[in-house]
Structures are given as C-alpha cells and as structure tokens.
Amino acid sequence: MVLVSSAERNYQERIRLERMRDNSNPFELAEEKFQKLFRLPRSAAFQLVSDLDDQRLDEGFIPKHLKVLSALQFFAQGSYQAAVGQDNFIALSQPSVSRCIKITADLIVEKLLPNCIKFPMTESEKLIAMTEFQELFNMPNTLGAVDGTHISIAKPSINHPTAPGNLFYNRKGFYSINCQIVYALNDDNHYDVEIQDVNIVVEEEIF
C-alpha cells in the first residue's frame, strides 16, 4: 500500500486541473450547453470578454476568457466557488475562481456601468427620483426599479442567419424573449418605463 501525502495529493490535483484547463475551450461547446452553463449566448459572452479587455485579465497563466467565464458561471448558477472550479470546462481551484470573480466583477463595474447604467448620482437627481416614486407609487426613499421576465414566443427558425432559434430557448424550457423592465431616469431627468430585449445577438467569433 502506497501512502500519498496531503501535499502530494494537492500537487497532483493542481496538475490535473491545469491540464484540463489548458485543453478546455468552453466556446467550443454546443450553443444549448453553453447557455445552460453561463446563461448567455456564446456570442454575448464573447462580446463581454472583449468589452472587459484589461491588463488584469492578462496576468497569470489562466486565459482571460476562462477567467470571465468562471465568474459568469458563478453569477449564473449561484453555486459554490469550488463547484465552479471543478467543472470540466473551467477546471480551476477555488482560490483561482474567487480571484476571477473579483476581477470580472470589478471590470464590469468599471467598464460597463458608466455606459450601460444611468443611475441617479447627484443630489438633485436623487431628489427627483424619490419624489416621483413617492407621488406615483407611495414608495419612499426609492431611486429606481428593475425586473426581468420571459415573454413566450413561437419557436423561431433554427436556421435564421443572425438570430437562430436556439438563442431564444431559455433555462425554463421554452422559447421566449428575455426582457428587462426598467423604471429609469431619462435624458430629461424624468422617469420612464423601458422594456429592453436581453436576447443579445452579435457577430460570433471563437477563440
């Protein structure tokens, strides 16, 4: 009987994960499998990796797309970090997953928030927001509201050149337009209801 020390087991596990990681490219997964894991179309996830391009993602030995995808999987599934790392398509240690989540979350806030989210920031904007919510809905101290829903649709054509049907197949098992409803501040500093289509279709590239 051969006894293996804890340090040796940890070393062997690290080597196993590194080999799996180096041979893994989740962007090669079938679209349906990819969306189940990351809750985004491959094209949208690829665009996110591009939008978050930053030196911090290039540091270390983990490819930047795996850093972002490990964070996406954690955000999508609310799983334990260790479980995300053990996924055959990610293959990272729990500490590595934790670092990837922090870097990705920081970059989303830094790079996407200024362009994608308009939120009351000045005292006058906050006062307008709270006044409107109080007058319209009797909700005090409220700056905004957001919610999401799936609007059911007939099965789209699977062969559509830019919006194939599999992009609209949701995690609940039916075809839908994934909508985000935002009660948001407009350019005139008044609030409007915006219904946004979250089914993003962009030109797809593969690593």
Side-chain angles (χ1 to χ4, degrees):
M1 180 177 180
V2 179
L3 297 178
V4 180
S5 68
S6 175
E8 178 65 18
R9 284 197 302 271
N10 290 339
Y11 173 77
Q12 292 175 357
E13 177 65 9
R14 181 167 63 84
I15 294 300
R16 184 185 71 84
L17 289 175
E18 287 178 356
R19 288 174 177 169
M20 289 174 60
R21 180 197 70 205
D22 293 342
N23 293 322
S24 172
N25 183 5
F27 281 104
E28 295 177 347
L29 291 170
E31 181 67 36
E32 184 176 350
K33 174 68 173 177
F34 188 94
Q35 289 194 38
K36 284 184 177 179
L37 285 174
F38 304 108
R39 301 283 178 85
L40 281 178
R42 283 185 303 182
S43 53
F46 183 87
Q47 184 64 51
L48 180 64
V49 175
S50 177
D51 290 342
L52 297 183
D53 189 31
D54 187 270
Q55 181 180 353
R56 282 167 287 180
L57 284 177
D58 293 325
E59 295 174 351
F61 298 101
I62 302 171
K64 63 182 179 182
H65 68 284
L66 287 185
K67 292 179 181 178
V68 175
L69 290 177
S70 65
L72 276 184
Q73 188 175 3
F74 179 77
F75 297 152
Q77 300 184 7
S79 181
Y80 291 102
Q81 294 176 7
V84 172
Q86 292 298 316
D87 189 290
N88 290 340
F89 303 106
I90 299 296
L92 298 174
S93 67
Q94 182 276 322
S96 294
V97 172
S98 180
R99 288 191 292 270
C100 292
I101 292 170
K102 184 180 188 312
I103 292 171
T104 302
D106 287 346
L107 289 175
I108 287 174
V109 171
E110 293 173 18
K111 292 180 174 289
L112 300 187
L113 187 148
N115 296 323
C116 299
I117 301 176
K118 181 175 175 59
F119 198 77
M121 298 300 292
T122 67
E123 291 304 316
S124 61
E125 288 176 340
K126 292 177 183 178
L127 181 59
I128 291 172
M130 289 189 288
T131 300
E132 289 204 15
F133 267 91
Q134 179 69 53
E135 292 177 351
L136 293 174
F137 309 113
N138 196 28
M139 295 175 62
N141 303 317
T142 303
L143 297 178
V146 60
D147 198 3
T149 188
H150 287 276
I151 299 177
S152 180
I153 60 174
K155 180 180 178 180
S157 170
I158 197 69
N159 297 318
H160 192 283
T162 59
N166 56 7
L167 293 182
F168 299 90
Y169 190 77
N170 65 47
R171 63 186 177 85
K172 298 184 178 182
F174 62 92
Y175 292 91
S176 68
I177 295 177
N178 189 3
C179 290
Q180 179 174 267
I181 302 170
V182 183
Y183 193 67
L185 195 68
N186 62 26
D187 294 335
D188 297 323
N189 282 335
H190 291 287
Y191 273 72
D192 289 329
V193 174
E194 297 180 6
I195 301 178
Q196 302 170 349
D197 180 4
V198 185
N199 294 87
I200 306 170
V201 180
V202 297
E203 183 177 355
E204 180 174 318
E205 299 180 49
I206 301 297
F207 283 92

